[in-house]
Amino acid sequence: MIQLKKHLVLFLCICSCIVNAQNTYKRWPDIIRKNDASWFGTPEAKKIAENVLLYQRNIGGWPKNIQMQDELTPKQQKDLLEIKKTTEETTTDNGATTQEMLFMSKMYAQTKDDRYKESFLKGLNYLLEAQYANGGWPQFYPLKKGYYTHITYNDDSMVNIMNVIRPIGEETDYYSIKPSKEVVEKCKKAFDKGVDCILKTQYKQNRVLTAWCAQHDEVTLAPANARAFELKSLSGYESVKIVLLLMSIEKPSPEIIAAVKGANAWFEKTKITNLEEKRVLNDNGKIIDKKMIPTQNANPIWARFMDLETNEPFFCDRDGIRKKSLDQIGDERRNGYSWYSDAGKEVLQKFPAWAVKNGVKVSSAVTSDQKKTNYFVVAQDGSGDFTKIQDAVYASPAFPYENVTIYIKNGVYNEKVQIPECNTNIILQGESRENTIIAFDDNFKKINLGRNSTFYTSTLLVAGDDCKISNLTIKNTSGENGQAMALSITGNRVKVVNCTLSGNQDTLYLSGTDAKHYFKDCYIEGTTDFIFGRATALFENCTIHSIKSSYITAASTPQETAFGFVFKNCKLTANPAATDVYLGRPWRIYAKTVYIDCEMGNQIKPEGWQNWSKPDAEKNSFYAEYNCKGEGFQPNKRVSWSHQLSKKEASKYTIENILQDKIKNWYLQ
């Protein structure tokens, strides 16, 4: 009997472990944002997707706060089928509808099940139908009586919607489902109307632009009340995502610039640096008390509710009576609501770079210690913080929590720049691609450090993770003197946008353990193996220019890596003298290189690929093309061991699949 009990206990423990292992993701939003794209093709994901389809109403929207992954009983499934015909509780509050649409996009990317596509498109139509003529969105649609009809910024509801329709209107690859041209145009117009609504609802104090309220009246656009404890007020939380959305718009109008300037000044004015929130937790980790502790030089925070005219923070219980301090309201509301937030710091940190980019004079309000450690200007004429780029790197904090922007004014910077491993989150931003130039002339022979001298030749070395480079020209000017790198990337998650990379042999080196990099709208030129290395890299809308007859790529992809170098919507050009150019050859035998929707000039050799005298590479490498065009695209003449992808195979080469990482959507930031 005792032995039986022991076995029973062991069995129950094993079952418990299995259950716990299967429920690693306990919250629905966490499941949606899983970074393993292939998971969305598993039976587990498909089972959850059936629930998501059931919960979607026929009108296209979903209810909020549902744990979609929870198993449904037959009765629950039957009830949901009946409710589908209604419009009960369809909303965009708390991320509802927008997050389910993202889930459906991920499911369709892996399975191509048309039900997921139809579900996504119904959700999109729901969002478009719900928009008011003035550009705002209500919290519930169809309209639900009460404060729910107000234009709702609360919990980022409207911003979430605009962040869905924007990439569709811009025809990006963020979502796997491509609507019709008519719907794309509707999304463009809806986004523009949303921006117009945002500009019109920005609150003015004595004719000075400030921030936004959580709700605005759908007719008058004036501040509006919601729940009893959510009185009309300026919001130190909801205003953040609104400003960041406006700051992300390329070529902003004078009205958008004025809105951002006003909001930034308001955030600077209303920050609180003499209080810290202390939370008291019980044994289960639940908050049982919150206290605001007076502290000198505390990190800035902002109140969720501020008086419309004085900016003074206030707090309310369910009786709707304003209080001046948090300790004056009851336990339930005090501990069950976010009354303070540090989100505003992102606006203050990003504003200086945005201001310079858009020709906005930065006021003394942003010359704080925070600005000095997170934002530097490099200018050869002495008008910035440094005259050399490397000095700005040296001044940058190690492993910062936030981005550190190094803004480089026009000029030719003849220096060798290295961003070491400790300098993560660096943004190198040039004033203009054509006139902000980093140049140096190291090459293999000049370095003369033995057989690996190539790896010391780079003009710019990026060893830090999560860096971004934009609006720059990076040159290795040594000429045709053997291996000489312009850009070397050994960190992870490095994004290069609107840059020119110029060299000869070995222009661009991409490495790092399990590293992934993203190149967008770049011009890259060289001679032999001028894009090489072991990292995974996606090149989108880039021009790849061969200076002479040779090889474009030399990948050394590790065997276990799913993607190597992927070129999408790129243009392959060449100098007149370059008449025999190969798409690639294998530096290591498991090399992977794929060209999708690219335009290939007649410099590309008919056979396309070369094995570098490595017969094993013909068995183990993966060289492929899909839907390319131009005189250089001759699929019937390619070497027999290369591949022409099917439409289904090509559909897996999405930005999300290629660049998936533990840092979600890093490539979109």
Side-chain angles (χ1 to χ4, degrees), residues 51-57 61-63 66 68 72 80 84:
N51 290 356
V52 181
L53 290 170
L54 274 174
Y55 274 108
Q56 186 180 25
R57 310 299 190 238
W62 279 268
I66 305 294
M68 300 280 178
L72 296 171
L80 283 172
K84 280 179 73 68

Side-chain angles (χ1 to χ4, degrees), residues 37-92:
S38 63
W39 178 85
F40 292 88
T42 64
E44 181 185 9
K46 292 176 183 177
K47 185 176 181 180
I48 294 172
E50 294 304 314
N51 290 356
V52 181
L53 290 170
L54 274 174
Y55 274 108
Q56 186 180 25
R57 310 299 190 238
N58 290 342
I59 193 175
W62 279 268
K64 67 177 180 178
N65 301 334
I66 305 294
Q67 298 301 315
M68 300 280 178
Q69 74 278 16
D70 289 350
E71 191 164 350
L72 296 171
T73 65
K75 184 180 184 308
Q76 288 173 321
Q77 293 175 347
K78 182 179 178 182
D79 290 343
L80 283 172
L81 281 172
E82 288 300 315
I83 296 174
K84 280 179 73 68
K85 303 170 186 176
T86 73
T87 59
E88 184 177 325
E89 296 298 306
T90 50
T91 181
T92 55

Side-chain angles (χ1 to χ4, degrees), residues 3 13 27 34 50-51 68 149 189 215 236 275 283 323 336 363 381-382 384 429 463 466 498 509 543 567 593 598 625:
Q3 193 69 22
C13 289
R27 297 177 62 255
K34 284 169 72 78
E50 294 304 314
N51 290 356
M68 300 280 178
T149 61
K189 292 178 181 178
Q215 292 84 211
L275 287 177
D283 292 340
K323 307 292 184 183
S363 69
D381 61 6
Q429 181 182 344
D466 302 299
N498 192 41
Y509 175 54
T543 297
F567 298 83
T593 303
C598 292
E625 300 156 83

